[in-house]
Amino acid sequence: MGKDKRRQAEKNLKETVKLYKTLLKTASEAVTVSDLEGRITDVSKRTLEVHGYRHPSELLGKSAFDLIHPKDHQEALANLAKTLQTGSVRNLEYTLLKKDGSTFTGELNAALLRDAEGKPSAFIATTRDVSHRVKVEEELRQVKDHLQAVLDGIDESIVVIDAKYRIVSHNEAFAKSLRKTKEKTVGEHCFHVIHDYAKPCRNCVVRDMFKTGSPEFDVHYHLEKDGKIYHEVKAYPIRDGKGKIIQSIYVFRDVTERETMYERIRQANTRLEELSKMKSYFISIASHELRTPLAIIKGYVDVVKGGMLGEVNERQKTKLNAISGNVTHLDRIIDNILDLSKIESGDLKLSFRKTNLSSLVSSVVEDFTPLAAERGIRLKANVNPIPKIRIDSDRIKQVLINLVDNAVKFTPRGGHVTVSIRKTRKLAVIKVEDSGIGIPRNRLDDVFKSFFQVDSTRKRSYKGVGLGLSICKSIVELHGGEILVFSRVNKGTSVSVRLPL
Amino acid sequence: MAKILVVDDEPEILDILQIMLEDAGHAVEKALSGYECLDKLRKNKFELILLDIRMPKMDGWETLRKMKEKGIVDGVKVVILTIEKGPGVEIFGLQDVVADYLTKPFDKNVLLKTIKNVMGK
């Protein structure tokens, strides 16, 4: 070669080497050059930084494999061979080592360098620390998994639908709820997948939501093979960065059981209302239809008994009295039934007036004196004056009559009945005590229940249907008071009525 | 003692009332309906009317209102016969017309006592 040519070649080489060294120095990438055996011949500054070294001398001459974690060595070897074959390999990911032994994830591109004759001479690799990216990717995956787990954990069907009714995504509950097995859901029309319709549902809340811009809710049914299926549906908006609604979150729940139950309850309620109206009507008619004949029977018996149609002998008078007694009895039963019915339907009306309760008690005791005398019972009144009290006097009188009647009825000859009234700081207390047959302890709680009778086998001697005390309790309670019973079998009973002053 | 008009749609009730009241010395006339009652009132003078409330076509309340309207109830005592004591008197504003009430089935003694009280006022 001529002297000039050699000098030119040397100059070119020097320039090339200079360019090359500058490139290496200034490269922002981590560049590593190694020979064909993988021994490092040159490194850029960035390579040192990335692997935690300070000076090139620490790495030059070392094996490139020292920079790679042993677990990836096999793969690295294979890739090396590949680079030799194909000339370049891209996007390799290895766990790389730092000087202090810590690891990081690196992304590598490797290329084969050839000499002037085209023979492989070296490997050149660029490395990028992608730990950060890998970490972010891992976090993202965790978040995604978490969200999916949350969505799949909810047992309501959740579907994301776009503006053209196509399914974008959904949770597991939705997949499970589909009555048929559908391989494909994403991308299909929601109305087709869910209902097998050819076009959107009549009352589509997703469509409404797109229109109104706010969440829409509905409960409706779809007619299917096995009858009405009720769905509770909700559509929520998903907006893009500019606030425009791009998709809808569609949540729906099968509420067929609930709705059919509601429907049943509604029907039952309507029937109950009708029945209640019928009952009131019948009872008011019945009371009139029953009382009129009673009035006629009683009237004529009184007329005959009173001698207005001719003389009546003692025997006739006695029997006529028996008829009158039974008429009165029937009348009381009708009263009780009417009262009970009113109480049950909440129709019992009280008219409150300031009343002298003490004189009311005295008058009731007076009324019962003849009957008590007839039955050989000592009837006594223990009346203390109390201030006038606001009560429905007719109804309270009804209660007192009932209680005294019971006391007299259930006390044998020779016994006593005492009716007392006194006041405490807040209450008026009326007590009816007798020395009668008493009520067994295990039946004390039943005393105020409808149809209660102490001993139903004795129904014949103790007239009554058993409604009286239950009505008394309701009346007293409607006054804001309470009624209490204490009793000992064969010793006697004490009934206490407490009314607020 | 008094001229009494008894009004009830049940003829047997009227019969019973007539027997009881005449036995006690009163003069009794009967009417089977509200219409008959108004008719009789126009033709005669009565001191007391025993008026049943529950009657078909024109009930006791309406009869009383008509009586009040026509002014034929002035100076006459009215006792109403009813199945059950209710707030009817107050509702229809007839406190000035109705003197007392009797419930059916009625007791002869209570009937006579009530009439005596009402006539005495």
Side-chain angles (χ1 to χ4, degrees), chain B residues 35-63:
Chain B
Y35 300 106
E36 237 191 280
C37 167
L38 292 170
D39 198 39
K40 293 244 153 111
L41 275 174
R42 249 172 293 167
K43 297 185 188 141
N44 297 294
K45 220 33 177 88
F46 293 96
E47 290 167 78
L48 174 77
I49 303 173
L50 279 182
L51 177 62
D52 182 30
I53 291 298
R54 256 190 116 112
M55 294 189 288
K57 290 202 206 125
M58 184 161 68
D59 69 7
W61 300 123
E62 222 195 306
T63 311

mmCIF file of all heavy atoms in Angstrom, chain B residues 35-63:
data_model
loop_
_atom_site.group_PDB
_atom_site.id
_atom_site.type_symbol
_atom_site.label_atom_id
_atom_site.label_comp_id
_atom_site.label_asym_id
_atom_site.label_seq_id
_atom_site.Cartn_x
_atom_site.Cartn_y
_atom_site.Cartn_z
ATOM 1 N N TYR B 35 -143.410 9.475 56.244
ATOM 2 C CA TYR B 35 -144.430 10.224 55.492
ATOM 3 C C TYR B 35 -145.740 10.310 56.264
ATOM 4 O O TYR B 35 -146.342 11.378 56.406
ATOM 5 C CB TYR B 35 -144.696 9.560 54.132
ATOM 6 C CG TYR B 35 -143.463 9.491 53.264
ATOM 7 C CD1 TYR B 35 -142.796 8.279 53.074
ATOM 8 C CD2 TYR B 35 -142.962 10.620 52.640
ATOM 9 C CE1 TYR B 35 -141.663 8.202 52.293
ATOM 10 C CE2 TYR B 35 -141.827 10.548 51.845
ATOM 11 C CZ TYR B 35 -141.184 9.342 51.683
ATOM 12 O OH TYR B 35 -140.067 9.277 50.908
ATOM 13 N N GLU B 36 -146.117 9.095 56.821
ATOM 14 C CA GLU B 36 -147.358 9.059 57.611
ATOM 15 C C GLU B 36 -147.239 9.980 58.817
ATOM 16 O O GLU B 36 -148.197 10.635 59.214
ATOM 17 C CB GLU B 36 -147.614 7.623 58.083
ATOM 18 C CG GLU B 36 -148.968 7.077 57.648
ATOM 19 C CD GLU B 36 -149.299 5.766 58.342
ATOM 20 O OE1 GLU B 36 -148.775 4.732 57.890
ATOM 21 O OE2 GLU B 36 -150.057 5.793 59.330
ATOM 22 N N CYS B 37 -146.051 10.008 59.395
ATOM 23 C CA CYS B 37 -145.802 10.843 60.561
ATOM 24 C C CYS B 37 -146.048 12.310 60.234
ATOM 25 O O CYS B 37 -146.775 13.003 60.949
ATOM 26 C CB CYS B 37 -144.363 10.627 61.044
ATOM 27 S SG CYS B 37 -143.795 11.838 62.234
ATOM 28 N N LEU B 38 -145.448 12.780 59.142
ATOM 29 C CA LEU B 38 -145.620 14.186 58.746
ATOM 30 C C LEU B 38 -147.086 14.492 58.467
ATOM 31 O O LEU B 38 -147.613 15.547 58.847
ATOM 32 C CB LEU B 38 -144.786 14.486 57.496
ATOM 33 C CG LEU B 38 -143.263 14.448 57.678
ATOM 34 C CD1 LEU B 38 -142.553 14.520 56.340
ATOM 35 C CD2 LEU B 38 -142.806 15.588 58.577
ATOM 36 N N ASP B 39 -147.729 13.513 57.830
ATOM 37 C CA ASP B 39 -149.140 13.665 57.500
ATOM 38 C C ASP B 39 -149.969 13.876 58.764
ATOM 39 O O ASP B 39 -150.769 14.806 58.866
ATOM 40 C CB ASP B 39 -149.592 12.405 56.757
ATOM 41 C CG ASP B 39 -150.877 12.628 55.992
ATOM 42 O OD1 ASP B 39 -151.048 13.723 55.405
ATOM 43 O OD2 ASP B 39 -151.726 11.727 55.996
ATOM 44 N N LYS B 40 -149.775 12.949 59.739
ATOM 45 C CA LYS B 40 -150.538 13.023 60.984
ATOM 46 C C LYS B 40 -150.260 14.323 61.723
ATOM 47 O O LYS B 40 -151.149 14.916 62.319
ATOM 48 C CB LYS B 40 -150.189 11.833 61.898
ATOM 49 C CG LYS B 40 -150.628 10.481 61.369
ATOM 50 C CD LYS B 40 -151.681 9.854 62.288
ATOM 51 C CE LYS B 40 -152.558 8.915 61.487
ATOM 52 N NZ LYS B 40 -152.386 7.516 61.809
ATOM 53 N N LEU B 41 -148.998 14.764 61.697
ATOM 54 C CA LEU B 41 -148.632 15.984 62.414
ATOM 55 C C LEU B 41 -149.341 17.192 61.850
ATOM 56 O O LEU B 41 -149.650 18.148 62.562
ATOM 57 C CB LEU B 41 -147.116 16.207 62.350
ATOM 58 C CG LEU B 41 -146.289 15.483 63.418
ATOM 59 C CD1 LEU B 41 -144.816 15.655 63.155
ATOM 60 C CD2 LEU B 41 -146.635 16.010 64.804
ATOM 61 N N ARG B 42 -149.576 17.150 60.516
ATOM 62 C CA ARG B 42 -150.256 18.267 59.898
ATOM 63 C C ARG B 42 -151.712 18.338 60.330
ATOM 64 O O ARG B 42 -152.278 19.404 60.493
ATOM 65 C CB ARG B 42 -150.181 18.157 58.375
ATOM 66 C CG ARG B 42 -149.286 19.250 57.771
ATOM 67 C CD ARG B 42 -149.060 19.025 56.322
ATOM 68 N NE ARG B 42 -148.271 17.814 56.161
ATOM 69 C CZ ARG B 42 -148.095 17.179 55.016
ATOM 70 N NH1 ARG B 42 -148.666 17.628 53.949
ATOM 71 N NH2 ARG B 42 -147.372 16.102 54.940
ATOM 72 N N LYS B 43 -152.300 17.111 60.555
ATOM 73 C CA LYS B 43 -153.732 17.098 60.853
ATOM 74 C C LYS B 43 -154.033 17.200 62.343
ATOM 75 O O LYS B 43 -155.124 17.597 62.735
ATOM 76 C CB LYS B 43 -154.353 15.802 60.309
ATOM 77 C CG LYS B 43 -154.246 15.708 58.802
ATOM 78 C CD LYS B 43 -154.985 14.469 58.298
ATOM 79 C CE LYS B 43 -154.721 14.258 56.814
ATOM 80 N NZ LYS B 43 -154.555 12.823 56.501
ATOM 81 N N ASN B 44 -153.065 16.748 63.195
ATOM 82 C CA ASN B 44 -153.352 16.725 64.643
ATOM 83 C C ASN B 44 -152.260 17.387 65.458
ATOM 84 O O ASN B 44 -151.168 17.611 64.977
ATOM 85 C CB ASN B 44 -153.464 15.281 65.123
ATOM 86 C CG ASN B 44 -154.607 14.550 64.472
ATOM 87 O OD1 ASN B 44 -155.765 14.866 64.686
ATOM 88 N ND2 ASN B 44 -154.277 13.575 63.649
ATOM 89 N N LYS B 45 -152.627 17.634 66.697
ATOM 90 C CA LYS B 45 -151.658 18.171 67.647
ATOM 91 C C LYS B 45 -151.227 17.051 68.583
ATOM 92 O O LYS B 45 -152.063 16.337 69.134
ATOM 93 C CB LYS B 45 -152.352 19.302 68.430
ATOM 94 C CG LYS B 45 -151.559 20.583 68.768
ATOM 95 C CD LYS B 45 -150.531 21.018 67.785
ATOM 96 C CE LYS B 45 -149.864 22.312 68.156
ATOM 97 N NZ LYS B 45 -148.690 22.139 69.012
ATOM 98 N N PHE B 46 -149.901 16.912 68.780
ATOM 99 C CA PHE B 46 -149.396 15.901 69.713
ATOM 100 C C PHE B 46 -148.491 16.553 70.741
ATOM 101 O O PHE B 46 -147.915 17.612 70.489
ATOM 102 C CB PHE B 46 -148.609 14.812 68.965
ATOM 103 C CG PHE B 46 -149.455 13.978 68.054
ATOM 104 C CD1 PHE B 46 -149.545 14.290 66.709
ATOM 105 C CD2 PHE B 46 -150.168 12.894 68.559
ATOM 106 C CE1 PHE B 46 -150.332 13.520 65.862
ATOM 107 C CE2 PHE B 46 -150.952 12.127 67.716
ATOM 108 C CZ PHE B 46 -151.052 12.436 66.366
ATOM 109 N N GLU B 47 -148.375 15.904 71.883
ATOM 110 C CA GLU B 47 -147.470 16.442 72.903
ATOM 111 C C GLU B 47 -146.106 15.760 72.843
ATOM 112 O O GLU B 47 -145.099 16.319 73.250
ATOM 113 C CB GLU B 47 -148.082 16.257 74.291
ATOM 114 C CG GLU B 47 -149.295 17.152 74.525
ATOM 115 C CD GLU B 47 -150.042 16.717 75.760
ATOM 116 O OE1 GLU B 47 -149.574 17.042 76.868
ATOM 117 O OE2 GLU B 47 -151.076 16.032 75.642
ATOM 118 N N LEU B 48 -146.120 14.476 72.360
ATOM 119 C CA LEU B 48 -144.858 13.716 72.353
ATOM 120 C C LEU B 48 -144.817 12.824 71.114
ATOM 121 O O LEU B 48 -145.844 12.271 70.706
ATOM 122 C CB LEU B 48 -144.758 12.862 73.625
ATOM 123 C CG LEU B 48 -143.566 11.910 73.702
ATOM 124 C CD1 LEU B 48 -142.296 12.672 74.043
ATOM 125 C CD2 LEU B 48 -143.799 10.833 74.758
ATOM 126 N N ILE B 49 -143.665 12.724 70.542
ATOM 127 C CA ILE B 49 -143.476 11.803 69.414
ATOM 128 C C ILE B 49 -142.383 10.798 69.776
ATOM 129 O O ILE B 49 -141.294 11.184 70.213
ATOM 130 C CB ILE B 49 -143.056 12.550 68.128
ATOM 131 C CG1 ILE B 49 -144.095 13.616 67.782
ATOM 132 C CG2 ILE B 49 -142.854 11.573 66.978
ATOM 133 C CD1 ILE B 49 -143.690 14.505 66.634
ATOM 134 N N LEU B 50 -142.710 9.504 69.614
ATOM 135 C CA LEU B 50 -141.698 8.459 69.755
ATOM 136 C C LEU B 50 -141.307 8.059 68.342
ATOM 137 O O LEU B 50 -142.119 7.484 67.620
ATOM 138 C CB LEU B 50 -142.268 7.240 70.489
ATOM 139 C CG LEU B 50 -142.348 7.306 72.002
ATOM 140 C CD1 LEU B 50 -142.895 5.997 72.553
ATOM 141 C CD2 LEU B 50 -140.979 7.551 72.611
ATOM 142 N N LEU B 51 -140.089 8.382 67.946
ATOM 143 C CA LEU B 51 -139.725 8.247 66.541
ATOM 144 C C LEU B 51 -138.591 7.241 66.336
ATOM 145 O O LEU B 51 -137.498 7.401 66.878
ATOM 146 C CB LEU B 51 -139.311 9.624 66.020
ATOM 147 C CG LEU B 51 -138.816 9.751 64.578
ATOM 148 C CD1 LEU B 51 -139.895 9.345 63.594
ATOM 149 C CD2 LEU B 51 -138.382 11.172 64.310
ATOM 150 N N ASP B 52 -138.878 6.205 65.556
ATOM 151 C CA ASP B 52 -137.842 5.227 65.219
ATOM 152 C C ASP B 52 -136.878 5.851 64.206
ATOM 153 O O ASP B 52 -137.293 6.589 63.314
ATOM 154 C CB ASP B 52 -138.509 3.967 64.625
ATOM 155 C CG ASP B 52 -137.495 2.886 64.295
ATOM 156 O OD1 ASP B 52 -136.450 2.825 64.988
ATOM 157 O OD2 ASP B 52 -137.737 2.113 63.360
ATOM 158 N N ILE B 53 -135.604 5.556 64.343
ATOM 159 C CA ILE B 53 -134.607 6.139 63.432
ATOM 160 C C ILE B 53 -134.459 5.320 62.156
ATOM 161 O O ILE B 53 -134.494 5.837 61.051
ATOM 162 C CB ILE B 53 -133.231 6.254 64.134
ATOM 163 C CG1 ILE B 53 -133.287 7.306 65.233
ATOM 164 C CG2 ILE B 53 -132.126 6.602 63.145
ATOM 165 C CD1 ILE B 53 -133.598 8.698 64.759
ATOM 166 N N ARG B 54 -134.273 3.997 62.366
ATOM 167 C CA ARG B 54 -133.976 3.162 61.196
ATOM 168 C C ARG B 54 -135.252 2.778 60.480
ATOM 169 O O ARG B 54 -135.906 1.799 60.834
ATOM 170 C CB ARG B 54 -133.274 1.888 61.651
ATOM 171 C CG ARG B 54 -131.786 1.905 61.370
ATOM 172 C CD ARG B 54 -131.234 0.539 61.626
ATOM 173 N NE ARG B 54 -130.711 -0.075 60.418
ATOM 174 C CZ ARG B 54 -129.441 -0.315 60.199
ATOM 175 N NH1 ARG B 54 -128.570 -0.007 61.108
ATOM 176 N NH2 ARG B 54 -129.052 -0.892 59.085
ATOM 177 N N MET B 55 -135.616 3.562 59.477
ATOM 178 C CA MET B 55 -136.792 3.225 58.685
ATOM 179 C C MET B 55 -136.410 3.302 57.212
ATOM 180 O O MET B 55 -135.588 4.139 56.837
ATOM 181 C CB MET B 55 -137.931 4.224 58.969
ATOM 182 C CG MET B 55 -138.478 4.139 60.389
ATOM 183 S SD MET B 55 -139.969 5.117 60.593
ATOM 184 C CE MET B 55 -139.313 6.776 60.546
ATOM 185 N N PRO B 56 -137.004 2.451 56.391
ATOM 186 C CA PRO B 56 -136.666 2.507 54.970
ATOM 187 C C PRO B 56 -137.258 3.760 54.318
ATOM 188 O O PRO B 56 -138.129 4.398 54.885
ATOM 189 C CB PRO B 56 -137.305 1.243 54.412
ATOM 190 C CG PRO B 56 -138.413 0.922 55.348
ATOM 191 C CD PRO B 56 -137.980 1.398 56.694
ATOM 192 N N LYS B 57 -136.778 4.107 53.200
ATOM 193 C CA LYS B 57 -137.189 5.253 52.374
ATOM 194 C C LYS B 57 -136.858 6.596 53.029
ATOM 195 O O LYS B 57 -136.016 7.330 52.566
ATOM 196 C CB LYS B 57 -138.680 5.177 52.017
ATOM 197 C CG LYS B 57 -138.984 4.068 51.043
ATOM 198 C CD LYS B 57 -140.289 4.296 50.296
ATOM 199 C CE LYS B 57 -140.878 2.965 49.834
ATOM 200 N NZ LYS B 57 -142.247 2.746 50.297
ATOM 201 N N MET B 58 -137.549 6.940 54.115
ATOM 202 C CA MET B 58 -137.189 8.188 54.800
ATOM 203 C C MET B 58 -136.916 7.852 56.265
ATOM 204 O O MET B 58 -137.819 7.451 56.989
ATOM 205 C CB MET B 58 -138.326 9.213 54.689
ATOM 206 C CG MET B 58 -137.964 10.554 55.310
ATOM 207 S SD MET B 58 -138.992 11.925 54.767
ATOM 208 C CE MET B 58 -140.565 11.535 55.470
ATOM 209 N N ASP B 59 -135.660 7.983 56.687
ATOM 210 C CA ASP B 59 -135.349 7.552 58.053
ATOM 211 C C ASP B 59 -135.729 8.637 59.066
ATOM 212 O O ASP B 59 -136.203 9.721 58.706
ATOM 213 C CB ASP B 59 -133.875 7.165 58.187
ATOM 214 C CG ASP B 59 -132.937 8.355 58.084
ATOM 215 O OD1 ASP B 59 -133.401 9.514 58.032
ATOM 216 O OD2 ASP B 59 -131.720 8.119 58.058
ATOM 217 N N GLY B 60 -135.512 8.325 60.360
ATOM 218 C CA GLY B 60 -135.921 9.228 61.428
ATOM 219 C C GLY B 60 -135.272 10.593 61.329
ATOM 220 O O GLY B 60 -135.896 11.624 61.588
ATOM 221 N N TRP B 61 -134.001 10.633 60.932
ATOM 222 C CA TRP B 61 -133.283 11.906 60.869
ATOM 223 C C TRP B 61 -133.926 12.841 59.847
ATOM 224 O O TRP B 61 -134.156 14.030 60.094
ATOM 225 C CB TRP B 61 -131.814 11.701 60.508
ATOM 226 C CG TRP B 61 -131.050 10.847 61.479
ATOM 227 C CD1 TRP B 61 -130.369 9.718 61.187
ATOM 228 C CD2 TRP B 61 -130.916 11.034 62.878
ATOM 229 N NE1 TRP B 61 -129.798 9.200 62.299
ATOM 230 C CE2 TRP B 61 -130.129 9.986 63.370
ATOM 231 C CE3 TRP B 61 -131.384 12.001 63.777
ATOM 232 C CZ2 TRP B 61 -129.785 9.854 64.703
ATOM 233 C CZ3 TRP B 61 -131.041 11.873 65.119
ATOM 234 C CH2 TRP B 61 -130.248 10.808 65.577
ATOM 235 N N GLU B 62 -134.187 12.266 58.666
ATOM 236 C CA GLU B 62 -134.754 13.096 57.617
ATOM 237 C C GLU B 62 -136.151 13.568 58.006
ATOM 238 O O GLU B 62 -136.527 14.707 57.745
ATOM 239 C CB GLU B 62 -134.814 12.316 56.311
ATOM 240 C CG GLU B 62 -134.382 13.170 55.140
ATOM 241 C CD GLU B 62 -134.769 12.568 53.823
ATOM 242 O OE1 GLU B 62 -134.400 11.396 53.595
ATOM 243 O OE2 GLU B 62 -135.447 13.256 53.043
ATOM 244 N N THR B 63 -136.917 12.665 58.630
ATOM 245 C CA THR B 63 -138.260 13.035 59.089
ATOM 246 C C THR B 63 -138.183 14.223 60.041
ATOM 247 O O THR B 63 -138.945 15.183 59.929
ATOM 248 C CB THR B 63 -138.930 11.847 59.793
ATOM 249 O OG1 THR B 63 -138.808 10.692 58.984
ATOM 250 C CG2 THR B 63 -140.399 12.136 60.068
#
